[in-house]
Amino acid sequence: MCIAYAECLSVNFSRNRLLCELNSQHETETDQVTVNTSETEDFIYIPRISFSKHIDVQAERCNNVTCSIGKMCVRHSLNKTSCVIARCIQPMPQPYIGSSAELQVDLSAFTGNRKGGNVGENVYFTCPPGTVVMGSPTIKCLANGQWETRPRCQVCLEASDPSGAHYWGTKSVTSTGKTCQSWSSQSPHGHSYSEYTGNYCRNNRNDNPKPWCYTTNPSVRWESCDIPNC
């Protein structure tokens, strides 16, 4: 696959998963092509210059074949070639913002907006300011040329606001998984917080170390909510 792209200068090959990542740069003493994580520890770095000349000859048979954007020519036999999907050409989809009022998130700062990816590649993304990653910081480009899922981010507590007095997310469950009582309701727990809406975790009065809410459990009046730090 790398031979089909002039910008491909090297590959990382996983023998255990038969996965190949294409790189647009060479690895040097100061620049590492592969991010060192548990997912990439079995990768082998192979520079383009070391590819077999036989591969180059086979690739030349596709010189007269023009494939559409996102596809590449593959030779199946002496005279048979075809175009197969090789890239996710659409930008990475905008992130799902869990526990948030999405309109307040500056999605222009989402790094995935400008990235395509090669089939089989796990592409890293950075969440917008005020949010952090939910789960994996990568999504994969699938064999059908589509992204496997939307990136997932969630609203977090800024360092300047550790108690969440200005938290605007819409998380509505406590740290133990209890559903929050609506602030407009006085049942099962009466209260005086008439300025809040919905049943979201809040701490605008700064009367608790973390955002919190009354619960719908009659036996548990209130609990704190588990909001990650930015």
Side-chain angles (χ1 to χ4, degrees):
M1 182 179 290
C2 181
I3 291 294
Y5 297 100
E7 67 269 24
C8 179
L9 300 180
S10 63
V11 299
N12 297 319
F13 177 63
S14 168
R15 288 176 295 184
N16 296 334
R17 288 169 291 168
L18 298 180
L19 176 66
C20 190
E21 288 185 344
L22 310 188
N23 305 314
S24 59
Q25 68 181 76
H26 288 300
E27 189 169 80
T28 66
E29 293 182 359
T30 57
D31 294 321
Q32 298 296 311
V33 173
T34 304
V35 178
N36 188 18
T37 69
S38 58
E39 294 184 354
T40 61
E41 61 185 2
D42 67 322
F43 275 102
I44 299 174
Y45 169 75
I46 307 173
R48 182 175 182 135
I49 195 173
S50 68
F51 292 170
S52 167
K53 291 184 178 180
H54 175 71
I55 296 178
D56 288 323
V57 171
Q58 300 302 325
E60 288 177 2
R61 300 185 186 277
C62 284
N63 284 349
N64 296 324
V65 178
T66 301
C67 297
S68 58
I69 296 175
K71 293 186 176 183
M72 62 170 287
C73 175
V74 173
R75 177 180 175 275
H76 300 284
S77 61
L78 182 62
N79 297 311
K80 184 178 180 180
T81 61
S82 65
C83 294
V84 299
I85 296 174
R87 288 182 58 79
C88 289
I89 60 175
Q90 295 298 321
M92 189 181 291
Q94 290 188 337
Y96 162 78
I97 308 294
S99 304
S100 76
E102 290 197 39
L103 294 179
Q104 299 188 44
V105 176
D106 180 12
L107 291 178
S108 65
F110 170 58
T111 60
N113 284 354
R114 298 173 294 279
K115 291 184 178 180
N118 300 312
V119 167
E121 181 182 12
N122 288 304
V123 180
Y124 282 85
F125 64 89
T126 301
C127 289
T131 66
V132 293
V133 172
M134 294 176 64
S136 172
T138 67
I139 61 172
K140 180 178 289 186
C141 173
L142 301 178
N144 62 1
Q146 303 296 316
W147 296 102
E148 64 176 337
T149 184
R150 290 175 65 186
R152 296 176 63 84
C153 307
Q154 64 176 314
V155 177
C156 52
L157 299 180
E158 300 283 0
S160 59
D161 183 32
S163 65
H166 301 291
Y167 172 72
W168 48 266
T170 54
K171 191 158 193 174
S172 58
V173 294
T174 69
S175 57
T176 63
K178 296 180 179 64
T179 301
C180 292
Q181 173 185 311
S182 175
W183 294 103
S184 63
S185 174
Q186 296 294 322
S187 177
H189 307 290
H191 61 86
S192 61
Y193 291 86
S194 58
E195 71 270 31
Y196 297 159
T197 60
N199 67 331
Y200 312 133
C201 303
R202 290 290 182 263
N203 195 29
N204 296 34
R205 295 187 186 179
N206 212 18
D207 44 13
N208 196 52
K210 294 284 186 180
W212 62 281
C213 68
Y214 293 108
T215 81
T216 54
N217 186 330
S219 301
V220 181
R221 182 168 173 78
W222 69 275
E223 284 186 347
S224 295
C225 302
D226 187 16
I227 313 294
N229 294 321
C230 295

